mmCIF file of all heavy atoms in Angstrom:
data_model
loop_
_atom_site.group_PDB
_atom_site.id
_atom_site.type_symbol
_atom_site.label_atom_id
_atom_site.label_comp_id
_atom_site.label_asym_id
_atom_site.label_seq_id
_atom_site.Cartn_x
_atom_site.Cartn_y
_atom_site.Cartn_z
ATOM 1 N N PHE A 1 -21.989 -15.779 -21.254
ATOM 2 C CA PHE A 1 -20.626 -15.589 -20.890
ATOM 3 C C PHE A 1 -19.815 -14.374 -21.551
ATOM 4 O O PHE A 1 -19.180 -13.627 -21.021
ATOM 5 C CB PHE A 1 -19.705 -16.837 -21.257
ATOM 6 C CG PHE A 1 -18.277 -16.629 -21.124
ATOM 7 C CD1 PHE A 1 -17.806 -16.352 -19.682
ATOM 8 C CD2 PHE A 1 -17.371 -16.659 -22.018
ATOM 9 C CE1 PHE A 1 -16.334 -16.290 -19.402
ATOM 10 C CE2 PHE A 1 -16.005 -16.548 -21.770
ATOM 11 C CZ PHE A 1 -15.545 -16.385 -20.473
ATOM 12 N N ARG A 2 -20.233 -14.193 -22.858
ATOM 13 C CA ARG A 2 -19.771 -12.964 -23.560
ATOM 14 C C ARG A 2 -20.208 -11.692 -22.812
ATOM 15 O O ARG A 2 -19.365 -10.817 -22.792
ATOM 16 C CB ARG A 2 -20.296 -13.108 -24.925
ATOM 17 C CG ARG A 2 -19.799 -11.905 -25.961
ATOM 18 C CD ARG A 2 -20.146 -12.013 -27.292
ATOM 19 N NE ARG A 2 -19.718 -10.892 -28.092
ATOM 20 C CZ ARG A 2 -20.096 -10.542 -29.339
ATOM 21 N NH1 ARG A 2 -20.952 -11.399 -29.853
ATOM 22 N NH2 ARG A 2 -19.660 -9.571 -29.879
ATOM 23 N N ALA A 3 -21.364 -11.621 -22.486
ATOM 24 C CA ALA A 3 -21.676 -10.429 -21.691
ATOM 25 C C ALA A 3 -20.868 -10.196 -20.423
ATOM 26 O O ALA A 3 -20.474 -9.124 -20.227
ATOM 27 C CB ALA A 3 -23.230 -10.530 -21.269
ATOM 28 N N ALA A 4 -20.598 -11.279 -19.718
ATOM 29 C CA ALA A 4 -19.836 -11.140 -18.534
ATOM 30 C C ALA A 4 -18.424 -10.781 -18.793
ATOM 31 O O ALA A 4 -17.826 -9.876 -18.079
ATOM 32 C CB ALA A 4 -19.869 -12.417 -17.749
ATOM 33 N N VAL A 5 -17.824 -11.255 -19.890
ATOM 34 C CA VAL A 5 -16.439 -10.962 -20.303
ATOM 35 C C VAL A 5 -16.329 -9.575 -20.676
ATOM 36 O O VAL A 5 -15.411 -8.760 -20.381
ATOM 37 C CB VAL A 5 -15.963 -11.988 -21.303
ATOM 38 C CG1 VAL A 5 -14.623 -11.439 -21.889
ATOM 39 C CG2 VAL A 5 -15.771 -13.377 -20.777
ATOM 40 N N VAL A 6 -17.361 -9.088 -21.488
ATOM 41 C CA VAL A 6 -17.323 -7.690 -21.966
ATOM 42 C C VAL A 6 -17.317 -6.787 -20.816
ATOM 43 O O VAL A 6 -16.654 -5.652 -20.793
ATOM 44 C CB VAL A 6 -18.438 -7.479 -22.980
ATOM 45 C CG1 VAL A 6 -18.614 -6.003 -23.195
ATOM 46 C CG2 VAL A 6 -18.199 -8.205 -24.251
ATOM 47 N N LEU A 7 -18.184 -7.073 -19.813
ATOM 48 C CA LEU A 7 -18.323 -6.230 -18.597
ATOM 49 C C LEU A 7 -16.968 -6.130 -17.947
ATOM 50 O O LEU A 7 -16.543 -5.006 -17.564
ATOM 51 C CB LEU A 7 -19.439 -6.877 -17.678
ATOM 52 C CG LEU A 7 -19.486 -6.196 -16.338
ATOM 53 C CD1 LEU A 7 -19.861 -4.666 -16.493
ATOM 54 C CD2 LEU A 7 -20.499 -7.065 -15.524
ATOM 55 N N LEU A 8 -16.383 -7.252 -17.676
ATOM 56 C CA LEU A 8 -15.011 -7.272 -16.902
ATOM 57 C C LEU A 8 -13.972 -6.445 -17.705
ATOM 58 O O LEU A 8 -13.183 -5.870 -17.157
ATOM 59 C CB LEU A 8 -14.666 -8.641 -16.598
ATOM 60 C CG LEU A 8 -15.356 -9.353 -15.477
ATOM 61 C CD1 LEU A 8 -14.926 -10.808 -15.419
ATOM 62 C CD2 LEU A 8 -15.137 -8.670 -14.266
ATOM 63 N N SER A 9 -13.894 -6.912 -18.998
ATOM 64 C CA SER A 9 -12.736 -6.267 -19.909
ATOM 65 C C SER A 9 -12.762 -4.761 -19.870
ATOM 66 O O SER A 9 -11.839 -4.155 -20.033
ATOM 67 C CB SER A 9 -12.888 -6.928 -21.275
ATOM 68 O OG SER A 9 -12.731 -8.285 -21.279
ATOM 69 N N ALA A 10 -13.907 -4.136 -19.754
ATOM 70 C CA ALA A 10 -14.010 -2.682 -19.848
ATOM 71 C C ALA A 10 -13.243 -2.004 -18.822
ATOM 72 O O ALA A 10 -12.886 -0.919 -18.986
ATOM 73 C CB ALA A 10 -15.506 -2.361 -19.641
ATOM 74 N N PHE A 11 -12.819 -2.653 -17.703
ATOM 75 C CA PHE A 11 -12.300 -2.047 -16.522
ATOM 76 C C PHE A 11 -10.712 -2.004 -16.788
ATOM 77 O O PHE A 11 -10.090 -1.431 -15.982
ATOM 78 C CB PHE A 11 -12.743 -2.636 -15.213
ATOM 79 C CG PHE A 11 -14.188 -2.645 -15.193
ATOM 80 C CD1 PHE A 11 -14.787 -3.815 -15.147
ATOM 81 C CD2 PHE A 11 -14.904 -1.525 -14.904
ATOM 82 C CE1 PHE A 11 -16.253 -3.769 -14.967
ATOM 83 C CE2 PHE A 11 -16.170 -1.413 -14.790
ATOM 84 C CZ PHE A 11 -16.963 -2.576 -14.865
ATOM 85 N N VAL A 12 -10.257 -2.856 -17.551
ATOM 86 C CA VAL A 12 -8.762 -3.040 -17.671
ATOM 87 C C VAL A 12 -8.283 -1.943 -18.527
ATOM 88 O O VAL A 12 -7.171 -1.418 -18.270
ATOM 89 C CB VAL A 12 -8.463 -4.363 -18.298
ATOM 90 C CG1 VAL A 12 -6.850 -4.508 -18.408
ATOM 91 C CG2 VAL A 12 -9.075 -5.517 -17.484
ATOM 92 N N VAL A 13 -8.953 -1.367 -19.395
ATOM 93 C CA VAL A 13 -8.547 -0.295 -20.278
ATOM 94 C C VAL A 13 -8.451 0.990 -19.562
ATOM 95 O O VAL A 13 -9.365 1.343 -18.720
ATOM 96 C CB VAL A 13 -9.510 -0.158 -21.576
ATOM 97 C CG1 VAL A 13 -8.976 0.982 -22.390
ATOM 98 C CG2 VAL A 13 -9.693 -1.504 -22.292
ATOM 99 N N GLN A 14 -7.373 1.658 -19.712
ATOM 100 C CA GLN A 14 -7.145 2.988 -19.056
ATOM 101 C C GLN A 14 -7.208 3.003 -17.571
ATOM 102 O O GLN A 14 -7.932 3.868 -16.898
ATOM 103 C CB GLN A 14 -8.083 4.138 -19.715
ATOM 104 C CG GLN A 14 -7.867 4.283 -21.169
ATOM 105 C CD GLN A 14 -8.686 5.238 -21.777
ATOM 106 O OE1 GLN A 14 -9.682 5.645 -21.107
ATOM 107 N NE2 GLN A 14 -8.429 5.687 -22.882
ATOM 108 N N ALA A 15 -6.937 1.951 -16.879
ATOM 109 C CA ALA A 15 -6.869 1.968 -15.375
ATOM 110 C C ALA A 15 -5.872 2.999 -14.913
ATOM 111 O O ALA A 15 -4.669 2.783 -15.109
ATOM 112 C CB ALA A 15 -6.555 0.592 -14.815
ATOM 113 N N PRO A 16 -6.197 4.055 -14.228
ATOM 114 C CA PRO A 16 -5.235 5.063 -13.809
ATOM 115 C C PRO A 16 -4.538 4.562 -12.697
ATOM 116 O O PRO A 16 -4.977 3.674 -11.965
ATOM 117 C CB PRO A 16 -6.201 6.206 -13.269
ATOM 118 C CG PRO A 16 -7.496 5.524 -12.867
ATOM 119 C CD PRO A 16 -7.713 4.383 -13.814
ATOM 120 N N PRO A 17 -3.252 5.058 -12.634
ATOM 121 C CA PRO A 17 -2.271 4.605 -11.554
ATOM 122 C C PRO A 17 -2.836 5.131 -10.155
ATOM 123 O O PRO A 17 -3.444 6.088 -10.019
ATOM 124 C CB PRO A 17 -0.988 5.361 -11.799
ATOM 125 C CG PRO A 17 -1.435 6.584 -12.764
ATOM 126 C CD PRO A 17 -2.662 6.139 -13.451
ATOM 127 N N ALA A 18 -2.609 4.185 -9.274
ATOM 128 C CA ALA A 18 -2.971 4.498 -7.835
ATOM 129 C C ALA A 18 -2.168 5.589 -7.305
ATOM 130 O O ALA A 18 -0.926 5.776 -7.579
ATOM 131 C CB ALA A 18 -2.835 3.243 -6.997
ATOM 132 N N VAL A 19 -2.640 6.380 -6.345
ATOM 133 C CA VAL A 19 -2.061 7.445 -5.669
ATOM 134 C C VAL A 19 -1.917 7.113 -4.263
ATOM 135 O O VAL A 19 -2.641 6.590 -3.573
ATOM 136 C CB VAL A 19 -2.743 8.809 -5.871
ATOM 137 C CG1 VAL A 19 -2.057 9.903 -5.192
ATOM 138 C CG2 VAL A 19 -2.935 9.117 -7.367
ATOM 139 N N GLY A 20 -0.646 7.457 -3.708
ATOM 140 C CA GLY A 20 -0.338 7.200 -2.282
ATOM 141 C C GLY A 20 0.425 6.029 -2.068
ATOM 142 O O GLY A 20 0.622 5.207 -2.931
ATOM 143 N N HIS A 21 0.901 5.915 -0.863
ATOM 144 C CA HIS A 21 1.682 4.804 -0.464
ATOM 145 C C HIS A 21 1.632 4.467 0.983
ATOM 146 O O HIS A 21 1.082 5.185 1.758
ATOM 147 C CB HIS A 21 3.230 5.152 -0.892
ATOM 148 C CG HIS A 21 3.783 6.274 -0.039
ATOM 149 N ND1 HIS A 21 3.655 7.568 -0.621
ATOM 150 C CD2 HIS A 21 4.524 6.266 1.021
ATOM 151 C CE1 HIS A 21 4.155 8.332 0.269
ATOM 152 N NE2 HIS A 21 4.766 7.668 1.311
ATOM 153 N N LEU A 22 2.219 3.386 1.400
ATOM 154 C CA LEU A 22 2.163 2.962 2.764
ATOM 155 C C LEU A 22 3.416 2.580 3.215
ATOM 156 O O LEU A 22 4.063 1.823 2.561
ATOM 157 C CB LEU A 22 1.040 1.754 2.888
ATOM 158 C CG LEU A 22 1.026 1.092 4.255
ATOM 159 C CD1 LEU A 22 0.468 2.065 5.151
ATOM 160 C CD2 LEU A 22 0.192 -0.178 4.169
ATOM 161 N N ILE A 23 3.903 3.071 4.245
ATOM 162 C CA ILE A 23 5.164 2.781 4.864
ATOM 163 C C ILE A 23 4.919 2.286 6.341
ATOM 164 O O ILE A 23 4.285 2.961 7.055
ATOM 165 C CB ILE A 23 6.278 3.908 4.967
ATOM 166 C CG1 ILE A 23 6.484 4.386 3.526
ATOM 167 C CG2 ILE A 23 7.481 3.494 5.648
ATOM 168 C CD1 ILE A 23 7.284 5.606 3.467
ATOM 169 N N ARG A 24 5.376 1.063 6.551
ATOM 170 C CA ARG A 24 5.113 0.367 7.849
ATOM 171 C C ARG A 24 6.481 0.263 8.649
ATOM 172 O O ARG A 24 7.423 -0.043 8.118
ATOM 173 C CB ARG A 24 4.497 -1.091 7.748
ATOM 174 C CG ARG A 24 3.109 -1.089 7.085
ATOM 175 C CD ARG A 24 2.541 -2.520 7.218
ATOM 176 N NE ARG A 24 2.460 -2.911 8.587
ATOM 177 C CZ ARG A 24 3.394 -3.764 9.168
ATOM 178 N NH1 ARG A 24 4.429 -4.218 8.441
ATOM 179 N NH2 ARG A 24 3.333 -4.102 10.329
ATOM 180 N N LEU A 25 6.289 0.441 9.944
ATOM 181 C CA LEU A 25 7.307 0.259 10.947
ATOM 182 C C LEU A 25 6.835 -0.795 12.012
ATOM 183 O O LEU A 25 5.643 -0.756 12.218
ATOM 184 C CB LEU A 25 7.732 1.397 11.575
ATOM 185 C CG LEU A 25 8.473 2.544 10.601
ATOM 186 C CD1 LEU A 25 8.673 3.833 11.428
ATOM 187 C CD2 LEU A 25 9.911 1.962 10.012
ATOM 188 N N PRO A 26 7.707 -1.522 12.704
ATOM 189 C CA PRO A 26 7.172 -2.332 13.654
ATOM 190 C C PRO A 26 6.415 -1.559 14.722
ATOM 191 O O PRO A 26 6.732 -0.437 15.008
ATOM 192 C CB PRO A 26 8.446 -2.971 14.310
ATOM 193 C CG PRO A 26 9.452 -2.905 13.192
ATOM 194 C CD PRO A 26 9.128 -1.590 12.402
ATOM 195 N N ARG A 27 5.411 -2.149 15.432
ATOM 196 C CA ARG A 27 4.587 -1.360 16.359
ATOM 197 C C ARG A 27 5.303 -0.841 17.440
ATOM 198 O O ARG A 27 5.035 0.172 18.058
ATOM 199 C CB ARG A 27 3.451 -2.376 16.746
ATOM 200 C CG ARG A 27 2.385 -1.670 17.583
ATOM 201 C CD ARG A 27 1.267 -2.596 17.935
ATOM 202 N NE ARG A 27 0.577 -3.084 16.747
ATOM 203 C CZ ARG A 27 0.145 -4.302 16.541
ATOM 204 N NH1 ARG A 27 0.351 -5.219 17.600
ATOM 205 N NH2 ARG A 27 -0.443 -4.599 15.454
ATOM 206 N N GLY A 28 6.389 -1.553 17.902
ATOM 207 C CA GLY A 28 7.181 -1.101 18.986
ATOM 208 C C GLY A 28 8.202 0.070 18.661
ATOM 209 O O GLY A 28 8.909 0.565 19.476
ATOM 210 N N PHE A 29 8.257 0.396 17.340
ATOM 211 C CA PHE A 29 9.197 1.334 17.016
ATOM 212 C C PHE A 29 8.773 2.820 17.358
ATOM 213 O O PHE A 29 7.671 3.127 17.194
ATOM 214 C CB PHE A 29 9.455 1.245 15.347
ATOM 215 C CG PHE A 29 10.505 2.148 14.795
ATOM 216 C CD1 PHE A 29 11.796 1.544 14.674
ATOM 217 C CD2 PHE A 29 10.319 3.528 14.555
ATOM 218 C CE1 PHE A 29 12.834 2.370 14.386
ATOM 219 C CE2 PHE A 29 11.346 4.215 14.027
ATOM 220 C CZ PHE A 29 12.611 3.669 13.832
ATOM 221 N N ARG A 30 9.745 3.604 17.891
ATOM 222 C CA ARG A 30 9.521 4.938 18.307
ATOM 223 C C ARG A 30 10.523 5.881 17.666
ATOM 224 O O ARG A 30 11.795 5.629 17.829
ATOM 225 C CB ARG A 30 9.413 5.207 19.706
ATOM 226 C CG ARG A 30 8.256 4.315 20.413
ATOM 227 C CD ARG A 30 6.886 4.967 20.006
ATOM 228 N NE ARG A 30 5.755 4.289 20.687
ATOM 229 C CZ ARG A 30 5.174 3.241 20.291
ATOM 230 N NH1 ARG A 30 5.609 2.782 19.243
ATOM 231 N NH2 ARG A 30 4.261 2.651 20.845
ATOM 232 N N LEU A 31 10.168 6.952 16.956
ATOM 233 C CA LEU A 31 11.174 7.924 16.455
ATOM 234 C C LEU A 31 11.677 8.751 17.590
ATOM 235 O O LEU A 31 11.184 9.884 17.746
ATOM 236 C CB LEU A 31 10.507 8.602 15.339
ATOM 237 C CG LEU A 31 10.259 7.736 14.086
ATOM 238 C CD1 LEU A 31 9.546 8.734 13.001
ATOM 239 C CD2 LEU A 31 11.467 7.259 13.385
ATOM 240 N N SER A 32 12.610 8.285 18.275
ATOM 241 C CA SER A 32 13.247 9.082 19.366
ATOM 242 C C SER A 32 14.793 8.694 19.615
ATOM 243 O O SER A 32 15.035 7.688 19.049
ATOM 244 C CB SER A 32 12.480 8.883 20.766
ATOM 245 O OG SER A 32 12.680 7.546 21.299
ATOM 246 N N LYS A 33 15.458 9.576 20.071
ATOM 247 C CA LYS A 33 16.818 9.396 20.338
ATOM 248 C C LYS A 33 17.164 8.272 21.090
ATOM 249 O O LYS A 33 18.157 7.560 20.927
ATOM 250 C CB LYS A 33 17.515 10.649 20.797
ATOM 251 C CG LYS A 33 17.458 11.867 20.023
ATOM 252 C CD LYS A 33 18.170 13.080 20.521
ATOM 253 C CE LYS A 33 18.115 14.252 19.566
ATOM 254 N NZ LYS A 33 18.816 15.444 20.207
ATOM 255 N N ASP A 34 16.272 7.887 22.226
ATOM 256 C CA ASP A 34 16.517 6.858 23.070
ATOM 257 C C ASP A 34 16.554 5.426 22.250
ATOM 258 O O ASP A 34 17.326 4.527 22.678
ATOM 259 C CB ASP A 34 15.513 6.713 24.195
ATOM 260 C CG ASP A 34 15.741 7.791 25.142
ATOM 261 O OD1 ASP A 34 16.876 8.451 25.132
ATOM 262 O OD2 ASP A 34 14.794 8.426 25.844
ATOM 263 N N VAL A 35 15.838 5.263 21.183
ATOM 264 C CA VAL A 35 15.798 4.098 20.363
ATOM 265 C C VAL A 35 17.131 3.813 19.786
ATOM 266 O O VAL A 35 17.495 2.705 19.559
ATOM 267 C CB VAL A 35 14.614 4.117 19.339
ATOM 268 C CG1 VAL A 35 14.727 2.985 18.539
ATOM 269 C CG2 VAL A 35 13.273 4.396 19.993
ATOM 270 N N LEU A 36 17.884 4.820 19.395
ATOM 271 C CA LEU A 36 19.138 4.600 18.737
ATOM 272 C C LEU A 36 20.254 4.254 19.682
ATOM 273 O O LEU A 36 21.322 3.989 19.118
ATOM 274 C CB LEU A 36 19.479 5.883 17.949
ATOM 275 C CG LEU A 36 18.353 6.484 16.981
ATOM 276 C CD1 LEU A 36 18.790 7.824 16.374
ATOM 277 C CD2 LEU A 36 18.090 5.381 15.927
ATOM 278 N N LYS A 37 20.147 4.343 20.980
ATOM 279 C CA LYS A 37 21.162 4.047 21.916
ATOM 280 C C LYS A 37 20.588 3.044 22.963
ATOM 281 O O LYS A 37 19.481 3.338 23.417
ATOM 282 C CB LYS A 37 21.780 5.274 22.518
ATOM 283 C CG LYS A 37 22.392 6.200 21.484
ATOM 284 C CD LYS A 37 22.968 7.442 22.194
ATOM 285 C CE LYS A 37 23.559 8.486 21.085
ATOM 286 N NZ LYS A 37 24.899 8.397 21.047
ATOM 287 N N ILE A 38 21.284 1.952 23.083
ATOM 288 C CA ILE A 38 20.804 1.000 24.059
ATOM 289 C C ILE A 38 21.826 0.800 25.157
ATOM 290 O O ILE A 38 22.968 0.530 24.864
ATOM 291 C CB ILE A 38 20.535 -0.264 23.303
ATOM 292 C CG1 ILE A 38 19.435 -0.114 22.285
ATOM 293 C CG2 ILE A 38 20.126 -1.385 24.453
ATOM 294 C CD1 ILE A 38 19.163 -1.347 21.503
ATOM 295 N N VAL A 39 21.403 0.961 26.418
ATOM 296 C CA VAL A 39 22.272 0.784 27.545
ATOM 297 C C VAL A 39 22.187 -0.684 28.185
ATOM 298 O O VAL A 39 21.155 -1.324 27.980
ATOM 299 C CB VAL A 39 22.051 1.938 28.644
ATOM 300 C CG1 VAL A 39 22.217 3.273 28.092
ATOM 301 C CG2 VAL A 39 20.636 1.716 29.237
#
């Protein structure tokens, strides 16, 4: 068990921050002027 714990613990130190992000919109969403006005 000690070997396994040492192995896992090694990855917590100095974990660099993740880069990038994700922005989601509904699948039906379209960036057009018609979406902003509904007749």
Side-chain angles (χ1 to χ4, degrees):
F1 177 61
R2 184 179 176 188
V5 170
V6 169
L7 173 64
L8 284 173
S9 300
F11 307 108
V12 183
V13 181
Q14 297 181 349
V19 178
H21 63 273
L22 175 67
I23 299 178
R24 292 189 59 258
L25 293 172
R27 189 173 296 144
F29 189 89
R30 296 291 183 272
L31 291 176
S32 67
K33 293 182 179 179
D34 289 338
V35 175
L36 303 177
K37 297 180 186 254
I38 299 175
V39 298

